[in-house]
Amino acid sequence: MSNGSSFNEFLLLAFADTREMQLLHFSLFLGIYLAALLGNGLIITAMACDHRLHTPMYFFLLNLSLLDLGSISTTVPKSMANSLWNTRTISYSGCAVQIFLVLFLLAAEYCLLTVMAYDCYVAICRPLHYGTLMGSRACVKMAAAAWATGFLNALLHTANTFSIPLCQGNTVDQFFCEVPQIFQLSCSDAYSWEAAVSVVSACLALGCFIFIVVSYVQIFTAVLRIPSEQGQHKAFSMCLPHLAVVSLFVSTGTFDCLKPPSLSSPALDLVVAVLYSVVPPTVNPLIYSMRNKELKDALRKLIQWV
């Protein structure tokens, strides 16, 4: 049985059966989505309009906001539309595109967070070489490498996922299309190629994690050597938002990938999916703006101008 011969759409997980709960789900997701659009949109606009924010750190933060907007726009609007129109369907091609974009944007964001850790390391541990190591051309290359890595990772997983025959129905137990959920519909036990692709992705993720940990060990060592308390506070203010974003991203993603099968249930899988796909894009702008005086001043000026 070929992939596309048996059906041309999938059925996504419904948040609720009653009309009242469906409208509640729509309203909650609409509020979250608008908050993410507003927060990330303000950051992008402020960085574009304020020349003081044209630095490597804010350039990477601009890329992070773009990735966050893309990732939450890939999953949430479709789920909202399904609840509003009382349906569960997503087309076969739409499911493939959704899987590709989710994998692409999340992997690119993880790689970008790794690059941002390097930016913090250079700024604190090698300040005299910052202008050389973090020049505009180098920053563009590092950001492009993060986006390209996410693209290749998504291309490999998506191509492999939709090359297997599906014969276990077309019901996906998630509010968006996920690779594990699609594999549960497979009628093939041949997972060797997916295992190889997963090993490559796992090695990449582990390499990024080790790089971030090593960077922050050196960063905190250097910060504790700063004689003035004001200098330590300034250094921590620059790094702690990034560390908070990394911790949220890594903890939710790791739990989703490594949770024991015995703990797996539709309700838990749904909560974890919301945590790693909806929460970070919404709270990242808040995390970065809370302790960043320059960004807060730029946002205040932008809001006053508007």
Side-chain angles (χ1 to χ4, degrees), residues 1-13 88 90-92 95-96 99 160-174 176-191:
M1 181 183 297
S2 65
N3 250 0
S5 61
S6 56
F7 52 85
N8 56 11
E9 65 181 19
F10 292 93
L11 298 178
L12 298 176
L13 179 68
R88 297 172 53 194
I90 183 172
S91 66
Y92 187 91
C95 185
I99 283 181
N160 179 65
T161 300
F162 287 92
S163 66
I164 61 175
L166 306 178
C167 61
Q168 302 294 327
N170 64 338
T171 301
V172 178
D173 290 329
Q174 192 53 270
F176 63 93
C177 288
E178 271 188 325
V179 171
Q181 297 294 335
I182 300 299
F183 264 89
Q184 290 181 10
L185 307 179
S186 170
C187 51
S188 171
D189 295 327
Y191 297 115

Side-chain angles (χ1 to χ4, degrees), residues 58-231:
Y58 294 111
F59 170 72
F60 294 132
L61 184 54
L62 171 67
N63 279 265
L64 181 66
S65 293
L66 291 173
L67 289 168
D68 282 339
L69 281 177
S71 63
I72 197 169
S73 297
T74 301
T75 58
V76 170
K78 179 60 180 175
S79 180
M80 289 165 49
N82 281 357
S83 288
L84 184 62
W85 301 115
N86 192 24
T87 183
R88 297 172 53 194
T89 62
I90 183 172
S91 66
Y92 187 91
S93 58
C95 185
V97 170
Q98 199 172 63
I99 283 181
F100 174 82
L101 289 177
V102 168
L103 292 172
F104 166 40
L105 295 166
L106 291 181
E109 181 165 338
Y110 190 35
C111 293
L112 185 68
L113 290 173
T114 306
V115 172
M116 294 172 76
Y118 177 71
D119 176 61
C120 290
Y121 162 77
V122 175
I124 293 176
C125 299
R126 305 186 64 182
L128 298 179
H129 300 277
Y130 188 81
T132 303
L133 295 175
M134 302 301 297
S136 58
R137 182 173 296 181
C139 290
V140 170
K141 288 182 178 179
M142 286 187 279
W147 286 79
T149 302
F151 179 85
L152 292 175
N153 174 75
L155 189 63
L156 286 173
H157 278 285
T158 306
N160 179 65
T161 300
F162 287 92
S163 66
I164 61 175
L166 306 178
C167 61
Q168 302 294 327
N170 64 338
T171 301
V172 178
D173 290 329
Q174 192 53 270
F175 73 96
F176 63 93
C177 288
E178 271 188 325
V179 171
Q181 297 294 335
I182 300 299
F183 264 89
Q184 290 181 10
L185 307 179
S186 170
C187 51
S188 171
D189 295 327
Y191 297 115
S192 57
W193 178 238
E194 174 61 20
V197 174
S198 298
V199 167
V200 172
S201 297
C203 290
L204 174 65
L206 182 61
C208 289
F209 179 74
I210 292 174
F211 185 91
I212 292 172
V213 170
V214 172
S215 297
Y216 269 99
V217 168
Q218 298 185 63
I219 287 170
F220 287 135
T221 301
V223 169
L224 293 176
R225 291 175 181 170
I226 298 176
S228 68
E229 185 176 342
Q230 183 179 4

Side-chain angles (χ1 to χ4, degrees), residues 237-257:
S237 295
M238 181 175 64
C239 295
L240 287 181
H242 174 260
L243 187 59
V245 170
V246 170
S247 300
L248 177 63
F249 185 91
V250 172
S251 60
T252 55
T254 301
F255 183 77
D256 179 64
C257 295

